[in-house]
Amino acid sequence: MENCIFCKIIKGEIPSNKVFENKKIVAFYDINPKAKVHILIIPKIHIESIKDLEEKDKSLIGELILATQRIAREKNLGGYKIVVNVGREGGQIVNHLHVHLLSGDVVLGV
Ligand code: AMP
């Protein structure tokens, strides 16, 4: 998607501090961390939000969660919170589906 900041990160047009990448998923540190560790895990295809998921995206969502678990393991996180904001009223600012992985000094909202 042309004006999507996360699509630009995927294409390398905007720099990011990547922690994981495979064919379908990218993960990078949040630019404005809300916890000691704050990583965003995103699909490479542009899906705006949970609202836009379709039956065909079922396995991608599973992979997104498993990638999140894998990153948490690799970072030796003892515990963590995962958050997905959905739509403006749900606190979503960037309209490209993303999972927040937060650990350490985690506050309730993101
Ligand atoms: P949300 O409110 O769920 O849409 O969260 C969007 C997140 O993206 C926020 O936590 C921002 O700090 C983060 N963010 C925005 N731009 C960038 C960027 N260029 N690199 C890394 N994280 C970003």
Side-chain angles (χ1 to χ4, degrees):
M1 247 258 188
E2 220 173 279
N3 282 322
C4 171
I5 199 165
F6 286 177
C7 285
K8 288 183 179 171
I9 285 177
I10 291 161
K11 287 191 246 162
E13 293 172 6
I14 288 180
S16 68
N17 192 355
K18 278 189 194 146
V19 295
F20 175 83
E21 178 162 18
N22 69 14
K23 260 166 58 179
K24 294 183 192 163
I25 293 163
V26 178
F28 50 90
Y29 281 100
D30 195 293
I31 206 167
N32 182 19
K34 320 291 187 307
K36 269 190 190 154
V37 176
H38 188 174
I39 294 167
L40 301 173
I41 301 92
I42 70 173
K44 283 188 175 173
I45 57 164
H46 183 87
I47 297 172
E48 283 209 13
S49 84
I50 291 273
K51 283 192 219 175
D52 303 289
L53 286 176
E54 296 172 19
E55 194 66 20
K56 66 173 169 54
D57 303 315
K58 217 156 53 175
S59 71
L60 179 64
I61 291 309
E63 288 180 48
L64 210 57
I65 298 301
L66 286 173
T68 304
Q69 182 210 51
R70 177 182 162 163
I71 293 161
R73 272 193 192 145
E74 283 172 3
K75 299 284 171 201
N76 286 314
L77 304 182
Y80 48 92
K81 183 204 294 239
I82 60 176
V83 173
V84 181
N85 295 327
V86 185
R88 277 281 180 271
E89 296 97 325
Q92 185 176 8
I93 305 296
V94 178
N95 290 326
H96 182 126
L97 176 62
H98 51 280
V99 175
H100 294 261
L101 168 62
L102 301 133
S103 184
D105 297 338
V106 173
V107 289
L108 198 60
V110 172

